[in-house]
Amino acid sequence: MLTIDGEARPGASTYPVHNPARPAEIVGDAPAAGPEQLDAAVQAARRALTGWRALHVAERVAAVTAAATRAAEQLGARDGARLYTREHGKVLSEARFEIDTAPVLASLLGSMAEAALAPEHIDPQQAYPRLHREPYGVAALVLPFNWPLALAITKLSSALVAGNTAVVKVPPTCPLAALQLGEAFAAALPPGVVNVLAGPGSELAQALVTHPGVDVISLTGGVATGRAVMAAASSRLTPVLLELGGNDAAIIGPDLQITDELVERLVTATYTTGGQVCMAIKRLYAPAARVEELADAVLARCQREVVGDGLADETTLGPLHTAAGRDRVQALTTDARARGATVRAAGRIREADADSGGYFVLPTVVTGLAPDAALAAQEQFGPVLPIFGYQSIDDAVDAANATDFGLTASVWTGDDALADSVAARLVAGTVSVNCHGMAAQDPRLPFGGVGQSGLGRELGVDGIRAFTQPRAFVRQPAPR
């Protein structure tokens, strides 16, 4: 069911949601919102806005934290993680982790809200001039397929504590658990503060971001989608926050040995969620003489991976989420092989899933890849890691920065001076040392990219302020 104005409502129609581990299986039917439901959701958010923004920030924080806790508890009680795994494909432990972290994310963001939103006095001793940060109004929050539950909590927490109300659009291909999470979250708040919609295809998102009742848009998705949203929002000059793709580079310093610990961290940073993570390692640079040693070590570690149905205990990596995603990854590796690269896969597909038609791709390592190959220039969003050799660390930095993207980047070294030097030169929204991906994300810091990786920031104080607009107050003495 959709959630509109504090009530569960049917859509204008329904559509089937399939299991990517066995695409013939229908997990459930999702409600598809039409223009009437969209209008009702936006109007409900607008009616709720005055009362919600009038609350003190501490009251909003307490309400949002309680709502996130309730949502996680109710989804857990419904065994929502199993539903989520069936519609998404990710392994069950990851699905549970995503649900369990909801209250933690909301609490952490809430703890920064008062500092983020406090008035700023230019002269601390004077009431004027001063700066206030005020909510935009109704926020349209468009979720991606890869981590929609975590992103729902992140976006909702930041937008709501800032005083906005929200209309959430869940991903079309895995909407069911997100709808349940949103329903429980909204039920803990005044009616209309949070509304949750679903629909197949891109039509609903297009209608939402162009709706005249929407005041700010936050989207996490691909670059093409981000461009389309930005173009659609331009007609009304609606502000947009875009967290888009990445082509993240990681540089292994010449001082490091290829140890089990290093390889384990690299594998986790590359292949989590089957590589369907915007901040995963997409390109790995190592000293030229160590490339084969590193590739062999990564492949040896990946031999332990079992790709299959995410509900199975033995499965360590689920399928890719869509057939299109699988086909894209396969096309990139086919092109790499045709251009002379060495493409090697490791691990195995779970025997019980071998004939299911699932969108399975084994962890893959590519060496000898041309720097201008599609796999090097584009975001693969799958379990494929190209490893490049470098002659000097300066060459590695230049190669890492030779991209239109700039979401995250990392350097791995025990040399503090080298770490500082390389980190200062890497061009990305987040630069990390000896970590990457999920391990390098600190919710106390803003997250976002440069270039084609997007506009604006999520998380941290800046992520809350992104949902506000400044208002300046100035005063002069009264005329005599």
Side-chain angles (χ1 to χ4, degrees):
M1 299 287 278
L2 308 174
T3 299
I4 300 173
D5 204 15
E7 299 177 351
R9 299 190 190 179
S13 61
T14 62
Y15 67 98
V17 177
H18 294 265
N19 183 344
R22 49 181 65 83
E25 175 187 309
I26 296 176
V27 179
D29 291 317
E36 181 180 342
Q37 288 82 20
L38 173 58
D39 285 343
V42 174
Q43 290 167 11
R46 188 150 296 283
R47 285 194 302 271
L49 179 61
T50 300
W52 180 252
R53 69 182 294 174
L55 296 176
H56 188 275
V57 60
E59 295 177 285
R60 295 197 298 265
V61 167
V64 168
T65 303
T69 301
R70 172 175 174 163
E73 290 174 349
Q74 290 199 7
L75 202 55
R78 294 180 180 179
D79 205 7
R82 293 183 68 85
L83 172 66
Y84 185 27
T85 289
R86 289 178 63 212
E87 64 175 331
H88 183 282
K90 63 173 60 189
V91 294
L92 186 59
S93 59
E94 184 178 299
R96 286 174 173 153
F97 171 81
E98 194 171 343
I99 294 169
D100 291 344
T101 55
V104 179
L105 274 172
S107 177
L108 189 55
L109 288 167
S111 70
M112 295 180 277
E114 293 211 42
L117 302 171
E120 292 185 19
H121 294 266
I122 305 306
D123 181 345
Q125 306 303 316
Q126 302 293 329
Y128 294 88
R130 67 177 185 266
L131 175 69
H132 289 200
R133 291 183 173 86
E134 302 186 353
Y136 280 104
V138 175
L141 310 179
V142 184
L143 305 180
F145 77 80
N146 58 345
W147 282 68
L149 307 188
L151 266 296
I153 297 300
T154 296
K155 292 179 188 293
L156 281 169
S157 296
S158 297
L160 296 182
V161 299
N164 302 277
T165 54
V167 178
V168 181
K169 192 268 181 187
V170 301
T173 48
C174 54
L176 302 176
L179 285 169
Q180 290 186 4
L181 182 82
E183 178 186 20
F185 191 104
L189 299 172
V193 171
V194 172
N195 306 272
V196 189
L197 304 178
S202 60
E203 293 81 4
L204 177 61
Q206 177 75 11
L208 174 60
V209 301
T210 57
H211 197 287
V214 166
D215 300 303
V216 63
I217 300 160
S218 173
L219 171 134
T220 299
V223 173
T225 303
R227 288 177 180 148
V229 167
M230 195 170 184
S234 66
S235 64
R236 297 185 57 253
L237 298 180
T238 306
V240 294
L241 307 169
L242 304 175
E243 197 273 279
L244 307 179
N247 191 12
D248 294 13
I251 299 174
I252 306 300
D255 60 304
L256 282 192
Q257 300 300 308
I258 310 303
T259 64
D260 289 346
E261 182 182 356
L262 171 64
V263 171
E264 187 66 34
R265 290 200 212 174
L266 293 175
V267 166
T268 300
T270 302
Y271 298 110
T272 294
T273 322
Q276 300 169 115
V277 178
C278 58
M279 54 194 164
I281 295 176
K282 310 290 175 34
R283 296 173 292 145
L284 183 59
Y285 294 88
R290 311 290 293 279
V291 167
E292 289 306 315
E293 178 188 2
L294 180 57
D296 289 345
V298 171
L299 287 163
R301 166 59 185 82
C302 288
Q303 279 297 120
R304 307 205 309 258
E305 302 295 337
V306 178
V307 181
D309 185 341
L311 292 178
D313 290 340
E314 64 181 308
T315 297
T316 59
L317 290 174
L320 294 191
H321 184 57
T322 64
R326 175 204 57 194
D327 294 346
R328 171 179 167 75
V329 168
Q330 291 178 343
L332 289 171
T333 54
T334 298
D335 174 73
R337 189 179 285 110
R339 292 170 63 100
T342 300
V343 179
R344 292 180 285 172
R348 64 181 176 87
I349 294 176
R350 192 174 80 104
E351 186 175 352
D353 298 319
D355 299 320
S356 70
Y359 309 138
F360 303 122
V361 178
L362 292 173
T364 303
V365 172
V366 179
T367 53
L369 183 68
D372 61 348
L375 179 59
Q378 301 175 16
E379 180 181 31
Q380 60 270 48
F381 225 60
V384 179
L385 176 64
I387 304 179
F388 302 91
Y390 67 80
Q391 297 298 329
S392 74
I393 200 71
D394 291 337
D395 292 340
V397 172
D398 289 343
N401 288 336
T403 176
D404 292 332
F405 297 94
L407 190 59
T408 72
S410 64
V411 57
W412 301 67
T413 177
D415 183 331
D416 290 346
L418 180 64
D420 291 343
S421 171
V422 172
R425 289 183 285 162
L426 289 172
V427 180
T430 297
V431 178
S432 53
V433 178
N434 298 327
C435 54
H436 200 120
M438 306 292 288
Q441 190 171 53
D442 186 332
R444 297 170 297 181
L445 295 174
F447 180 77
V450 299
Q452 297 296 301
S453 290
L455 302 168
R457 293 294 183 267
E458 293 185 328
L459 299 175
V461 166
D462 290 302
I464 296 170
R465 289 176 175 172
F467 284 99
T468 67
Q469 49 194 338
R471 177 180 290 189
F473 292 84
V474 181
R475 182 173 181 172
Q476 295 287 353
R480 297 183 183 181

